[in-house]
Amino acid sequence: MDDFETATVTRSVDLDATPERVWDALVDDDQRSAWLGRRSRIDVRRGGPGKVTDDDGTVRHLAVEDVQPGRRLAWRWWPEQTGNCSTVEFVLEPVGPGTRLIVTERAAPGTTVAACRSAAGSGVSSALVCDRLTMLARVVGAAVVVV
Amino acid sequence: MTGDVGTMFGALADPTRRGVLEAVAMRGPLTATELAAELPVSRQAIVKHLQVLGHAGLVVGSRAGRQHRYQAVPAVLDDMRAWLDDAARRWDRSLERLRRHVDGEPSRPGDHASHVHESID
C-alpha cells in the first residue's frame, strides 16, 4: 500500500524461512548486503549507527530505533544528499513454518537532515555511555544503574 | 520551500489543511478571507494553515494591492509522489532479493519483484 495521506509505503512478503533465519538476514551485515542495496553496515542495537549504500550509489545514514530479536527492527535513515528523513520498520510474523515480513517506510514529518543527525548522534552517544558504564561495572564488579 | 518530503507530508496530515490546499489548487489564487468564506474554519485558522502549507512549499502567496493571494505549487505534490514511488520501487526490489537470499537462490541484479505482493489494508 502506498498511502499519500499517511506518507507510508508498506510491503509484505511471505518467506520460506523461519523468523530466526529471516532475522539473521536482517541483522547480519554480510547477509543484509546481499539484498538491501549494494552494501550495508549497521550496529544493530538501539541508537546504533549504520550506513546503507543503494544500488544507484545513494548513501543513507541511519540510527537504529528498536531491536526486538525475531520480531521487530526499526530505524530512521536519511540520504546523504537530500533532507528526506524517513523511518523504516520490519515486522516478522510466523506463518506456518515460514515468515511474513512486513516493511513500512514512512516519511518523517517536520524533520530535517540536521534533526535526523542530531537524533542519531544523541542515541549513539547514550548507547556508548551505557556500554562504557557496563564495562566499568564489569571491571569493578559493581552494579550500575543508568538513570 | 524546504525540499524535505517529511515536512510536506506533515503539512498534509491535517484534513482541514488538505481542504485548504484543495480549494487553493482548484480555485486559486485565493485570499484567506475568500477561503474562510467557503470553508468551515475561521480566517485566523486559515492563515495558520496557509503558513504551514507555505513552509512546506505547497502554496505560495503573492501580493496584489493590499491583498495576499495564495496558489498551489503542484510540483511539490509531484515530489511527494516521486518519494513514495521511489520507496515502493526500492522495497519491491530489496524484498525480492531477500526472498531469493533466504530461499538460497542466487540473486540477479535488475530482477523485479514479481513475487512480492502488496498488502491491501
Side-chain angles (χ1 to χ4, degrees):
Chain A
M1 179 185 73
D2 306 339
D3 190 326
F4 212 85
E5 288 182 14
T6 59
T8 59
V9 169
T10 302
R11 289 291 186 272
S12 107
V13 60
D14 288 346
L15 301 165
D16 294 330
T18 61
E20 291 72 27
R21 166 96 181 83
V22 175
W23 181 256
D24 285 346
L26 292 183
V27 300
D28 180 81
D29 280 345
D30 289 338
Q31 289 199 50
R32 197 187 322 99
S33 296
W35 61 273
L36 184 66
R38 199 186 292 166
R39 177 176 166 76
S40 69
R41 279 182 167 193
I42 300 174
D43 182 358
V44 183
R45 59 196 166 117
R46 197 183 285 260
K51 186 176 166 183
V52 176
T53 306
D54 208 346
D55 296 319
D56 64 5
T58 303
V59 174
R60 287 182 175 77
H61 294 278
L62 68 82
V64 176
E65 298 198 324
D66 188 35
V67 183
Q68 296 175 39
R71 289 168 48 214
R72 184 176 188 270
L73 175 66
W75 67 59
R76 174 178 295 263
W77 65 357
W78 57 97
E80 215 164 45
Q81 303 296 329
T82 72
N84 296 330
C85 181
S86 55
T87 57
V88 174
E89 176 196 49
F90 299 89
V91 173
L92 289 72
E93 292 172 358
V95 177
T99 306
R100 175 163 297 159
L101 177 68
I102 302 157
V103 183
T104 304
E105 179 160 10
R106 183 189 305 267
T111 48
T112 61
V113 169
C116 281
R117 270 186 203 288
S118 66
S122 62
V124 171
S125 63
S126 65
L128 281 175
V129 168
C130 285
D131 278 1
R132 287 196 184 135
L133 287 173
T134 308
M135 276 171 61
L136 180 66
R138 282 200 199 110
V139 171
V140 302
V144 172
V145 179
V146 179
V147 185
Chain B
M1 81 174 248
T2 64
D4 157 13
V5 290
T7 300
M8 298 169 193
F9 281 112
L12 289 191
D14 181 290
T16 306
R17 213 174 291 136
R18 285 202 298 276
V20 171
L21 178 65
E22 196 175 293
V24 167
M26 302 287 281
R27 293 179 290 286
L30 293 171
T31 65
T33 307
E34 287 165 344
L35 282 161
E38 69 171 272
L39 294 168
V41 194
S42 71
R43 186 183 177 283
Q44 200 175 11
I46 294 279
V47 169
K48 282 188 179 157
H49 287 309
L50 285 167
Q51 280 171 355
V52 176
L53 291 168
H55 177 66
L58 286 157
V59 302
V60 287
S62 56
R63 185 177 276 276
R66 291 175 55 207
Q67 288 182 322
H68 263 101
R69 293 192 161 273
Y70 296 88
Q71 62 189 77
V73 183
V76 177
L77 291 173
D78 294 342
D79 287 349
M80 296 162 75
R81 169 50 63 189
W83 185 88
L84 288 174
D85 289 346
D86 176 65
R89 259 196 311 274
R90 275 190 285 111
W91 289 116
D92 283 342
R93 191 176 61 224
S94 296
L95 292 183
E96 175 58 17
R97 280 167 60 184
L98 173 63
R99 195 188 63 78
R100 288 176 182 281
H101 175 74
V102 298
D103 288 355
E105 295 174 36
S107 67
R108 296 198 302 252
D111 262 347
H112 289 286
S114 54
H115 294 86
V116 177
H117 62 81
E118 297 184 24
S119 65
I120 49 169
D121 55 334

